[in-house]
Amino acid sequence: MAHIIIPPGWKIPEQQATPEDIYLDRRRFIRQLGYSGLGLWGLLSGLSGRGLSAASGPQTSGIYPAPRNAKFTLDRPLTAEQVAATYNNFYEFTLDKDRVHELAKNFKTSPWRIEVRGEVEKPFTIDVDDLLRKLPVEERLYRFRCVEAWSMAVPWTGIPMKKFIDLARPTSQAKYMRFVTFLDPKQAPGQRTQSWYPWPYFEGLRMDEAMNELTMLVTGIYGHPLPNQHGAPIRLIVPWKYGFKSIKSIVSIEFTREQPRTFWNQLVPDEYDFWANVDPRVPHPRWSQATERIIPSGKRVPTLPYNGYGDYVAGLY
Ligand SMILES: Nc1nc2c(c(=O)[nH]1)N[C@H]1C(S)=C(S)[C@@H](COP(=O)(O)O)O[C@H]1N2
Ligand SMILES: [Mo]
C-alpha cells in the first residue's frame, strides 16, 4: 500500500496459467458429473498442478461451483487463478505479495464465527458454515482495482450483502457498517513483526453502499472456497472502490450510527480517504490513478470512474 511495487518479471510460466475457457470447461465438467463436492475439485486442482489454493475449512461443501449471475460479466479476460493466488495484499502475513500464499497456508479458518453487533434488533454470532446454509451464494465476474494502480479480473462467489443485512436486521439508527479482521499474532507473522500497524485491520461502508447490489460477502473464488491468501473464510468485495476497502477474513460486523474509522485512513489520512472510490481523475499524492497495469502482463489500460461500475453506484455520491 505504501508504494507501488512492480513485480520482478512474472514467475509463472504461461502454460501453467488457467485462462477463462479452461476454468469454464472445468466448471461445466464438474456440473455434468453432477458432483460438486470439494473433494473432486481438490482432486482436479491437484491434477492440473496448481495446488496453491487449498482451503482449510469445510465451508459447506456442495455449494461450489455456484450458479453464475450472468448480469455481472467482464469486458476483459479473467486473471489466471494461479496468478491471482500468488499476488496478494494481506499485511497480516507479509508485505511481499508473492509470499502471502505461503505464509497464510496454515492459518486456521475453520471453525470461524462472525459477531454481528451494534445497531441490530438482536446481536448474534454466526458460524460461516451456518451463514452459508442460510443464505444462497452466486458467482460473479468483477474487475478488481488496487490503489497501487494494478488490476485483475476475478470470479468471486458470495452472498449479496443486501441478503446478509436482511438477516441481521439493523435498526433504523444504523447508518454505517464496520468490519474487523481477526487478531492472532501467533498465526499471522505480520501482526507480530509490523507492530506500527493498528491491528486488527478495520474497514467501513455507508449503509447505502453496503446495500448496493454490487456489494458482496465473498466466500469463494474460481468456483471453490477462498484460499487463505484471498481472505478465507469470508471477506468483503466492493468492486467500485480501491482494493483496500475489500477487507479479508472478517470476524466482526457492526452496524453503527457514526461513520467508522478505517485502517488506511487512520494510518495515512492524506493518502487514503474513507470513500476510496476508484477515480482516474484524482491522483494518489505519489502517483497517477489515470491508468492501471493489468496483472500479470503489465499492460496499461485507462482506469474507469468507479472502476467501470458507474451505472450502479454514481447515484450514491
Ligand atoms: N485484512 C486485510 N484485508 C485486506 C488487506 C490486508 O492487508 N488485510 N489488503 C487489501 C488490499 S490493499 C487489497 S488490493 C486486497 C487484495 O485482495 P486479494 O489478495 O484477494 O487480491 O485485499 C484488501 N483487504
Ligand atoms: Mo490494494
Side-chain angles (χ1 to χ4, degrees):
M1 287 286 309
H3 41 266
I4 303 184
I5 298 165
I6 302 190
W10 200 253
K11 291 172 183 154
I12 293 150
E14 198 55 41
Q15 317 84 276
Q16 272 179 261
T18 308
E20 180 172 21
D21 51 345
I22 298 179
Y23 166 65
L24 293 178
D25 267 2
R26 193 179 284 144
R27 230 172 153 266
R28 214 168 293 129
F29 172 60
I30 287 174
R31 274 200 183 289
Q32 278 162 6
L33 285 174
Y35 182 89
S36 55
L38 258 175
L40 181 57
W41 188 270
L43 181 64
L44 289 172
S45 305
L47 287 176
S48 69
R50 287 177 295 128
L52 279 165
S53 46
S56 59
Q59 289 177 65
T60 311
S61 54
I63 65 170
Y64 301 97
R68 175 171 296 180
N69 186 336
K71 185 171 174 188
F72 303 100
T73 182
L74 289 170
D75 56 357
R76 56 177 77 170
L78 269 187
T79 306
E81 175 172 7
Q82 190 160 352
V83 169
T86 51
Y87 192 81
N88 305 98
N89 275 330
F90 203 166
Y91 278 19
E92 284 81 347
F93 293 94
T94 172
L95 274 52
D96 289 347
K97 291 179 176 41
D98 57 358
R99 291 196 64 217
V100 174
H101 68 95
E102 159 196 339
L103 288 163
K105 193 172 55 199
N106 297 321
F107 180 56
K108 196 169 178 288
T109 59
S110 177
W112 189 279
R113 291 167 78 73
I114 301 176
E115 207 186 341
V116 183
R117 50 198 294 251
E119 288 292 343
V120 283
E121 284 175 23
K122 195 170 181 292
F124 60 97
T125 302
I126 188 162
D127 187 274
V128 174
D129 288 323
D130 291 334
L131 190 64
L132 286 170
R133 274 187 276 271
K134 280 197 158 93
L135 298 175
V137 292
E138 60 184 57
E139 185 182 64
R140 300 177 179 186
L141 311 185
Y142 277 171
R143 286 183 291 273
F144 186 86
R145 171 61 157 83
C146 176
V147 76
E148 296 163 338
W150 53 263
S151 70
M152 297 188 188
V154 176
W156 302 112
T157 301
I159 301 163
M161 183 65 90
K162 171 76 169 58
K163 296 221 164 90
F164 171 81
I165 293 171
D166 290 344
L167 178 88
R169 292 196 294 161
T171 70
S172 59
Q173 299 299 312
K175 298 290 184 291
Y176 295 87
M177 289 177 80
R178 176 171 188 268
F179 305 87
V180 185
T181 298
F182 71 87
L183 179 64
D184 190 348
K186 280 209 184 78
Q187 291 199 75
Q191 291 184 334
R192 293 196 297 273
T193 57
Q194 300 154 182
S195 54
W196 56 93
Y197 289 113
W199 308 116
Y201 199 100
F202 48 103
E203 256 303 336
L205 293 174
R206 196 172 60 195
M207 219 48 212
D208 58 350
E209 298 179 318
M211 308 240 282
N212 186 273
E213 68 173 314
L214 291 173
T215 307
M216 293 183 95
L217 272 175
V218 160
T219 58
I221 189 169
Y222 295 97
H224 53 69
L226 284 176
N228 292 346
Q229 66 268 32
H230 282 298
I234 189 161
R235 66 165 315 162
L236 185 66
I237 285 293
V238 265
W240 72 95
K241 293 178 180 281
Y242 291 119
F244 68 85
K245 296 292 291 183
S246 291
I247 181 173
K248 294 175 167 181
S249 304
I250 297 166
V251 296
S252 164
I253 300 181
E254 181 180 354
F255 293 84
T256 66
R257 298 175 183 220
E258 310 291 333
Q259 182 177 304
R261 300 301 311 269
T262 57
F263 183 89
W264 282 105
N265 177 257
Q266 180 169 314
L267 263 168
V268 202
D270 301 345
E271 300 193 355
Y272 308 104
D273 69 358
F274 174 83
W275 307 104
N277 294 320
V278 174
D279 189 344
R281 294 162 310 182
V282 179
H284 184 280
R286 292 180 283 128
W287 57 82
S288 166
Q289 296 290 22
T291 62
E292 63 205 53
R293 291 175 295 113
I294 294 185
I295 300 297
S297 70
K299 185 181 163 214
R300 268 196 188 276
V301 298
T303 286
L304 301 170
Y306 300 109
N307 200 24
Y309 296 103
D311 288 349
Y312 294 92
V313 297
L316 294 175
Y317 306 102

